[in-house]
């Protein structure tokens, strides 16, 4: 399989500050990257989908201005949580896929996740 | 609305036993059914996946059984080991839409505990 990394793995910030999370595909080009949010003992909730070089598509109920997504290259996507509040505390996970590859068609490769705690 | 329903929520199995997790879906457009394993504090890792053209797929101790007419699929873990203790998620995705999107719809997860 392919490798996806996330940075940082953990972040603690004060309420009102902005936090940037990076997602990188290390050994393949990601045509699409996905951002998920996971609360304790719950399933993954898709927040948004981004294709390289174009605007992200957000799921219903996800605030575009609060969760800024940039997919500037085929190996990097960033999620910025702006003006973070305690209710934004969660586990954020990215995944990446290359839709053109035959070997891993339809397969999403997940990063290790970022634990965000807003005080 | 939960597009993929998963059960049980939690499962306790003795070492060496068989763990069975079930999922059901409604959308007949789904054509890819992966299972993910997630350890605490980590991202999900793909375990095994199946497409609707086959009824079973086996990889080592892990087997997916797929029933297209019933719109159900299940994960069987043979000879379960304490190291298999994790949360398992089933998922489904459908044919890509015009934008090329291939969104995964996840089940609610099953917390498996294998007792030594």
């Amino acid at each position: 399989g392919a490798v996806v990394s996330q940075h940082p793995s953990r972040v603690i910030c004060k309420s009102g500050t902005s936090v940037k999370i990076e997602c990188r595909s290390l050994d393949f080009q990601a045509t699409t990257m996905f951002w998920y949010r996971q609360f304790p003992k719950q399933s993954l909730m898709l927040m948004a989908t981004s294709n390289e070089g174009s605007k992200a598509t957000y799921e219903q109920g996800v605030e575009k201005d609060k969760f800024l997504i940039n997919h500037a290259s085929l190996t990097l996507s960033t999620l910025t949580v702006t003006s973070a509040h305690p209710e934004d505390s969660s586990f954020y996970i990215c995944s990446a896929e290359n839709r053109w590859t035959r070997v891993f068609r339809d397969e999403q490769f997940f990063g290790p996740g970022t634990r965000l705690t807003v005080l | 609305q939960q597009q993929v329903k998963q059960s049980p929520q939690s499962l306790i199995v003795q070492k060496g036993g068989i763990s069975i997790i079930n999922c059901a879906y409604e959308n007949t457009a789904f054509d890819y059914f992966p299972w993910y394993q997630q350890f605490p504090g980590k991202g999900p890792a793909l375990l095994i996946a199946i497409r609707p053209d086959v009824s079973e797929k086996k990889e080592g101790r892990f087997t997916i059984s797929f029933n297209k007419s019933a719109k159900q699929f299940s994960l069987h873990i043979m000879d379960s080991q304490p190291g298999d203790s994790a949360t398992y998620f089933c998922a489904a995705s459908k044919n890509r839409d015009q934008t090329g999107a291939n969104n995964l719809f996840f089940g609610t997860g099953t917390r498996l505990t294998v007792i030594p």
Side-chain angles (χ1 to χ4, degrees), chain A residues 24-72:
Chain A
R24 293 181 185 272
S25 56
L26 298 184
D27 51 2
F28 71 105
Q29 292 183 326
T31 53
T32 306
M33 286 186 168
F34 304 82
W35 286 95
Y36 295 84
R37 183 173 181 176
Q38 186 178 33
F39 291 104
K41 299 183 180 181
Q42 293 191 23
S43 190
L44 286 77
M45 291 177 52
L46 180 65
M47 298 175 66
T49 303
S50 71
N51 294 302
E52 184 263 340
S54 61
K55 289 184 178 180
T57 301
Y58 289 82
E59 294 299 298
Q60 193 172 10
V62 178
E63 298 176 59
K64 302 179 185 181
D65 296 330
K66 181 163 189 63
F67 298 101
L68 300 178
I69 292 173
N70 184 286
H71 190 166

Side-chain angles (χ1 to χ4, degrees), chain B residues 85-113:
Chain B
S85 297
T87 299
Y88 292 80
F89 292 97
C90 62
S93 68
K94 55 188 176 181
N95 294 326
R96 297 177 185 277
D97 61 21
Q98 293 178 344
T99 67
N102 180 38
N103 295 354
L104 280 171
F105 296 90
F106 282 87
T108 49
T110 297
R111 181 172 292 230
L112 171 66
T113 303

Side-chain angles (χ1 to χ4, degrees), chain A:
Chain A
V3 181
V4 175
S5 70
Q6 275 183 248
H7 179 80
S9 58
R10 288 176 178 271
V11 57
I12 300 173
C13 68
K14 292 183 178 179
S15 185
T17 60
S18 294
V19 174
K20 180 185 283 188
I21 303 170
E22 291 186 351
C23 176
R24 293 181 185 272
S25 56
L26 298 184
D27 51 2
F28 71 105
Q29 292 183 326
T31 53
T32 306
M33 286 186 168
F34 304 82
W35 286 95
Y36 295 84
R37 183 173 181 176
Q38 186 178 33
F39 291 104
K41 299 183 180 181
Q42 293 191 23
S43 190
L44 286 77
M45 291 177 52
L46 180 65
M47 298 175 66
T49 303
S50 71
N51 294 302
E52 184 263 340
S54 61
K55 289 184 178 180
T57 301
Y58 289 82
E59 294 299 298
Q60 193 172 10
V62 178
E63 298 176 59
K64 302 179 185 181
D65 296 330
K66 181 163 189 63
F67 298 101
L68 300 178
I69 292 173
N70 184 286
H71 190 166
S73 76
L74 283 171
T75 59
L76 173 65
S77 176
T78 59
L79 168 68
T80 301
V81 184
T82 62
S83 186
H85 288 94
E87 58 265 31
D88 298 324
S89 298
S90 189
F91 193 51
Y92 292 88
I93 307 171
C94 72
S95 70
E97 71 160 6
N98 184 321
R99 76 172 89 137
W100 305 118
T101 177
R102 282 189 177 183
V103 177
F104 299 126
R105 186 169 67 95
D106 293 333
E107 186 172 339
Q108 288 186 27
F109 299 95
F110 284 81
T114 297
R115 173 76 59 193
L116 170 63
T117 302
V118 185
L119 302 176

